[in-house]
Amino acid sequence: VGNYKRTVKRIDDGHRLCNDLMNCIHERARIEKVYAQQLTEWAKRWKQLVEKGPQYGTVERAWCAFMSEAEKVSELHLEVKGSLMNEDFEKIKNWQKEAFHKQMMGGFKETKEAEDGFRKAQKPWAKKLKEVEAAKKAYHAACKEEKLAISRETNSKADPALNPEQLKKLQDKVERSKQDVLKTKEKYEKSLKELDNATPQYMENMEQVFEQCQQFEEKRLRFFREVLLEVQKHLDLSNVASYKNIYRELEQNIKAADAVEDLRWFRANQGPGMSMNWPQFEEWSADLNRTLSRREKKKASDGVTLTGINQTGDQVSQPNKHSSSLSVQSNTVQSVQSSYNPFEDEEDTGSTVSEKEDNKIKNVSSYEKNQSYPTDWSDEESNNPFSSTDANGDTNPFDEDTSPAMEVRVRALYDYEGQEQDELSFKAGDELTKMENEDEQGWCKGRLDNGQVGLYPANYVEPIQ
C-alpha cells in the first residue's frame, strides 16, 4: 500500500527531465556560438597578418584558404546553434507545456490524476487489509492470553495452599481464553479470505491506473528519442554537403600552390626581372631630403620617442606591429589599442592563453610585404652590413660573447615592441640581462631569459636592487 508513489513521482521527474534536456541543448548551442566567434576572430586576425606579411603568390593564397575555411565553418556552426535553439529547444519547451499542466495550488494536473486514481483503486483493498491486520492482532493477543491462563492453572495445581474455589476460577479462565482464540481465529481467517477475494479486482484496478501512467511516460520517452535524433542530425556536419565542399575546396587551394610559379613571380616583381631604375645624371635640388639612418630616426629633437609605453600593472597595450614609433611631446602619450584575447566573450572572462602568448601571435612577421628598404650603402668596412667585422666582430648586436662582468639584471618599466629584427620585445615587469652599457643614442644591448639577444631603449628599464 502506498508504493504507487514511485510511479506518481515519475511524472514530476519527466517535467524536470524536460528542463534538463533543454539546459543541455542550450549549453551546447552556446559552445557552438563561442566556437564560431573564435573561428571568425582567428580568421580575421590571421588573414590580415598573412596579407601584410612577406608571404606571396600561390602559397599565400593556399595559406589564406585556411582562413576562408574557418569563416565558412563558423557560419555552419552558427547554423547549428540556430537549429538547436530555434528548433530543438523550442520543440521541447512546447511539448512540455502541452504535456504538463500546472495547478493553482502547485504541482501538476497529471500528477494529481495519477495520485487520485491509485488511491481510489487501492482504497477498498486497503480497507480490507486494515481489517485483516486488526483480526490478526486480536487473534495473536487471544493466543497469548490462552497460553498465560494455561500456565497459571498448571502452576496452581502444584500449590497446596490454593483453595478449590481459586483453582476453579483459573480453569474457567483457561476455557474462556480457548473460546476467544477460536473466535478470533475464525474472524482472522474470514477477513483474510475476503482480502484474497478482493485482490484480483484490486490488481486490475491498480494496473489500469498504472497503464495510464505507462502510456504517459511512453509518450515522453518516444518524444525524447525523437528530439535526440533531430539534435544528432543538426550536430552531424559530416553529412552536410556544404561542409564536405569546404574541405574539398581547401584541399584544391593547397594543391594549387606552385613553388615554380611563385619563384617566377618573385623574379619578375622583386628580382632581376623587375623594371630597373639605373642611375642617371640629376641636377641638385634644395628640396632633396637627407636620408636618415635608423638610429638617427630614433632620436627625437623635441621630446621622448616611445613605442608601446605602458605603466607596470596597467592593462597590456599593443602598438601596431608596422608602426615605426610613437612620438611623445611633453606629457602627451599616444594611446594604443588594448590587446585582444580570442578566448574571452561576454559570458566567460577566463582566458586559456596568456598575454605573452597572444603577443607572440601578433608578432609573427618582422616586416610588411611592401616594406621599403633603405638605399644608403657604403663600401667602407665600418658601414657595410655584410662585412666580416659586422658579422663576427663586436658590432654584431646578436653576438653573445660579451664579457660576463658587464651583465646586470634589469626590470622593464614599460611595454616595448621591437621595430627592427635586432631589437628585443618585452612587457612591463619582465626581467632581462643588460649586456652592454647605454650608447650615445640611448640604446642598450641585452638578453632575454629565453636567450634572445638584441637592443632596447635604456630608459625603459631599471636595475634590480
Side-chain angles (χ1 to χ4, degrees):
V1 174
N3 282 334
Y4 62 82
K5 294 185 180 297
R6 292 176 295 186
T7 304
V8 174
K9 181 179 179 295
R10 189 175 61 177
I11 299 176
D12 293 335
D13 291 342
H15 185 273
R16 282 192 291 270
L17 287 169
C18 287
N19 289 334
D20 290 343
L21 184 55
M22 284 191 289
N23 289 335
C24 178
I25 292 176
H26 182 268
E27 286 188 18
R28 178 57 185 267
R30 179 181 176 275
I31 291 172
E32 296 289 337
K33 177 184 176 182
V34 172
Y35 178 53
Q37 291 174 339
Q38 291 174 352
L39 280 177
T40 302
E41 294 295 336
W42 175 84
K44 180 180 178 182
R45 185 170 64 255
W46 277 96
K47 189 174 184 180
Q48 293 176 349
L49 290 174
V50 173
E51 288 177 349
K52 293 180 179 180
Q55 186 57 58
Y56 56 90
T58 59
V59 174
E60 178 189 2
R61 289 194 292 272
W63 193 346
C64 287
F66 280 100
M67 277 61 90
S68 299
E69 171 265 345
E71 292 172 347
K72 294 175 182 177
V73 172
S74 173
E75 293 176 1
L76 288 179
H77 282 280
L78 283 178
E79 291 178 7
V80 170
K81 176 256 180 184
S83 299
L84 291 176
M85 292 303 298
N86 299 330
E87 297 180 30
D88 303 328
F89 185 90
E90 289 298 323
K91 187 172 184 178
I92 300 171
K93 184 179 179 181
N94 294 332
W95 186 90
Q96 183 189 45
K97 188 181 297 184
E98 294 174 0
F100 299 91
H101 300 85
K102 291 186 177 181
Q103 298 186 120
M104 294 289 293
M105 301 300 293
F108 300 102
K109 176 184 176 183
E110 290 71 24
T111 304
K112 187 176 186 303
E113 288 176 351
E115 178 84 27
D116 294 343
F118 277 120
R119 188 183 293 111
K120 183 178 179 181
Q122 198 173 70
K123 188 174 182 180
W125 192 85
K127 182 178 180 182
K128 293 185 180 298
L129 178 63
K130 191 174 182 180
E131 293 174 356
V132 169
E133 292 293 334
K136 181 179 74 171
K137 184 177 180 181
Y139 169 67
H140 288 176
C143 291
K144 182 179 179 181
E145 189 65 28
E146 179 191 22
K147 183 178 181 181
L148 184 60
I150 293 174
S151 176
R152 287 175 180 173
E153 181 192 14
T154 303
N155 293 334
S156 65
K157 289 180 179 179
D159 187 3
L162 194 66
N163 57 46
E165 185 178 350
Q166 292 174 331
L167 183 60
K168 182 70 169 61
K169 288 182 179 180
L170 292 174
Q171 290 174 349
D172 293 342
K173 180 70 173 177
V174 170
E175 188 65 25
R176 286 195 304 271
S177 62
K178 287 181 178 181
Q179 292 177 1
D180 290 341
V181 167
L182 292 174
K183 289 179 181 179
T184 53
K185 183 178 181 181
E186 182 182 355
K187 189 175 182 180
Y188 181 27
E189 290 175 343
K190 182 181 178 182
S191 61
L192 265 178
K193 187 176 181 180
E194 291 177 353
L195 183 67
D196 291 341
N197 293 335
T199 298
Q201 184 64 39
Y202 161 66
M203 292 180 63
E204 182 180 346
N205 294 340
M206 292 292 284
E207 285 187 9
Q208 185 177 358
V209 182
F210 181 77
E211 281 302 319
Q212 293 175 357
C213 294
Q214 287 286 83
Q215 292 173 8
F216 184 82
E217 179 68 4
E218 182 182 10
K219 292 179 182 179
R220 186 190 68 82
L221 294 174
R222 290 186 181 277
F223 173 73
F224 269 40
R225 181 179 182 275
E226 176 187 343
V227 169
L228 292 174
L229 279 175
E230 293 182 5
V231 172
Q232 178 267 331
K233 291 178 182 178
H234 292 147
L235 294 177
D236 185 8
L237 295 178
S238 62
N239 291 325
V240 179
S242 58
Y243 191 73
K244 296 179 181 179
N245 292 335
I246 290 174
Y247 292 98
R248 190 178 297 113
E249 182 181 344
L250 175 61
E251 182 182 7
Q252 293 173 353
N253 285 325
I254 295 174
K255 288 182 176 180
D258 188 345
V260 175
E261 170 63 22
D262 289 353
L263 294 174
R264 185 200 62 77
W265 177 91
F266 193 87
R267 178 184 179 86
N269 292 274
Q270 304 289 342
M274 64 187 296
S275 59
M276 298 299 178
N277 184 17
W278 300 111
Q280 298 179 0
F281 181 78
E282 298 179 10
E283 288 291 345
W284 176 83
S285 174
D287 295 333
L288 290 177
N289 294 324
R290 182 172 59 91
T291 303
L292 298 179
S293 65
R294 177 173 62 84
R295 287 292 173 261
E296 289 174 324
K297 288 180 181 178
K298 296 290 182 181
K299 295 166 62 177
S301 58
D302 298 328
V304 181
T305 301
L306 302 177
T307 57
I309 184 169
N310 190 23
Q311 290 290 347
T312 304
D314 290 350
Q315 184 169 345
V316 180
S317 299
Q318 291 280 3
N320 189 308
K321 71 168 188 172
H322 304 301
S323 63
S324 59
S325 65
L326 298 176
S327 296
V328 183
Q329 303 296 335
S330 45
N331 294 328
T332 304
V333 178
Q334 180 72 23
S335 62
V336 293
Q337 185 177 3
S338 299
S339 64
Y340 169 75
N341 187 348
F343 294 95
E344 184 173 305
D345 60 9
E346 69 279 4
E347 299 179 15
D348 185 7
T349 56
S351 173
T352 57
V353 176
S354 67
E355 293 173 344
K356 187 176 292 186
E357 294 278 342
D358 195 36
N359 189 38
K360 289 180 181 178
I361 292 176
K362 291 200 171 189
N363 292 315
V364 295
S365 181
S366 59
Y367 61 92
E368 289 189 28
K369 180 181 302 184
N370 299 321
Q371 178 178 347
S372 60
Y373 294 88
T375 57
D376 291 348
W377 66 281
S378 172
D379 58 356
E380 295 181 4
E381 291 264 331
S382 60
N383 294 326
N384 186 359
F386 299 102
S387 66
S388 59
T389 304
D390 192 37
N392 301 309
D394 295 336
T395 59
N396 184 0
F398 296 95
D399 191 354
E400 300 186 17
D401 296 331
T402 307
S403 174
M406 296 293 295
E407 295 185 352
V408 178
R409 293 292 287 176
V410 295
R411 182 183 293 107
L413 295 171
Y414 317 104
D415 293 351
Y416 180 73
E417 183 176 352
Q419 304 301 309
E420 303 287 346
Q421 291 187 6
D422 61 347
E423 296 179 11
L424 298 178
S425 296
F426 47 76
K427 293 193 173 296
D430 288 354
E431 295 183 3
L432 59 152
T433 301
K434 183 173 75 170
M435 302 173 62
E436 292 183 3
N437 290 329
E438 179 180 356
D439 60 16
E440 60 182 9
Q441 282 83 25
W443 291 82
C444 286
K445 181 178 179 181
R447 181 178 65 247
L448 298 177
D449 291 341
N450 62 7
Q452 182 182 355
V453 177
L455 302 175
Y456 64 89
N459 58 354
Y460 269 52
V461 302
E462 64 177 357
I464 298 177
Q465 302 296 331

